Amino acid sequence: MITGAAGGLGSALADALAPTHTLFLAGRPSSRLDVVAERHGASTWPVDLADPDSLASVVEPIVELDVLIHNAGVAYPGRVAESTVEQWRSTMAVNVVGAVALTLELLPALRAARGQVVFINSGSGINASPGLAAYSSSKFALRAFADSLRADEPSLRVTSVHPGRIATAMQEDLVAYEGRDYDPEQFLSAQTVAQVTVDAINAPHDAHIHEVIVRPH
């Protein structure tokens, strides 16, 4: 299962995993999500991480799951003094609480498969980024949740992927906030981050990759 599967990195993850995995593409229903699903003959799952109470009924049919990739996320560019409580609440609701809630609902299916949970984190989850106060805080929290899950669920493999800035629509918004011209060549491609993530997923079963850090060359 890939959350945020309609986005730039989500669709790249789907493309990279389609040859070896049956895909469950999770996200809010949209034509973009449908396009990714049609490309791979995959199923879509109407997952709204901002509404954790809705998740149980959506994922209830899943009894075994090899891989859960937490890719969905939101970001509101802004320094601390520019941010609002509502932005913090929304960021934490999707990036942290939603990821926790979905993991808890799928934990029996993951245990049954002795599966893997992958968190697409960020460089901001290691060093806080200027102008991304709420986002950075949420990614630190997500990293801590991944570490806790790894410690508490020894049958699972848990991997945090910390890419640098990726050429996506979210990045365009951030560059606009910074008042600069957007040049995708300055950033990692979604395909590169997807491939690095897939390499961690496909690592031999006696290898438990805790953390992957990827930066533009």
Side-chain angles (χ1 to χ4, degrees):
M1 174 171 279
I2 304 168
T3 69
L9 179 54
S11 60
L13 286 163
D15 292 344
L17 285 164
T20 53
H21 292 74
T22 298
L23 301 179
F24 294 175
L25 304 180
R28 292 174 177 172
S30 69
S31 58
R32 290 194 306 157
L33 185 62
D34 290 341
V35 166
V36 180
E38 289 166 11
R39 186 160 72 236
H40 300 298
S43 58
T44 59
W45 295 74
V47 167
D48 182 358
L49 296 178
D51 182 13
D53 293 337
S54 69
L55 298 177
S57 60
V58 174
V59 304
E60 188 269 337
I62 302 173
V63 296
E64 196 165 318
L65 186 66
D66 293 303
V67 184
L68 170 61
I69 303 178
H70 288 291
N71 170 66
V74 297
Y76 300 96
R79 296 177 182 272
V80 171
E82 302 166 340
S83 65
T84 67
V85 170
E86 185 51 43
Q87 288 173 340
W88 281 82
R89 185 178 289 117
S90 175
T91 301
M92 293 297 176
V94 173
N95 294 6
V96 184
V97 177
V100 171
L102 184 60
T103 302
L104 291 176
E105 294 296 343
L106 289 170
L107 206 47
L110 288 159
R111 287 170 176 160
R114 298 184 65 84
Q116 182 167 8
V117 184
V118 178
F119 295 88
I120 303 297
N121 199 295
S122 168
S124 298
I126 297 174
N127 297 294
S129 298
L132 283 171
Y135 179 79
S136 295
S137 298
S138 74
K139 291 299 188 179
F140 268 77
L142 193 66
R143 183 184 183 191
F145 174 57
D147 291 346
S148 297
L149 182 64
R150 187 184 304 112
D152 290 344
E153 295 290 332
S155 71
L156 305 183
R157 295 196 297 178
V158 180
T159 303
S160 288
V161 180
H162 295 270
R165 296 172 68 162
I166 309 171
T168 62
M170 184 184 291
Q171 198 62 241
E172 289 189 62
D173 292 342
L174 178 57
V175 171
Y177 164 79
E178 294 170 338
R180 300 187 292 116
D181 292 330
Y182 178 70
D183 177 6
E185 296 299 320
Q186 294 178 347
F187 308 113
L188 289 163
S189 73
Q191 290 71 27
T192 293
V193 177
Q195 187 56 59
V196 170
T197 303
V198 171
D199 288 345
I201 291 169
N202 289 334
H205 284 289
D206 61 342
H208 189 166
I209 299 175
H210 291 198
E211 193 169 82
V212 179
I213 298 174
V214 193
R215 295 290 180 267
H217 191 271

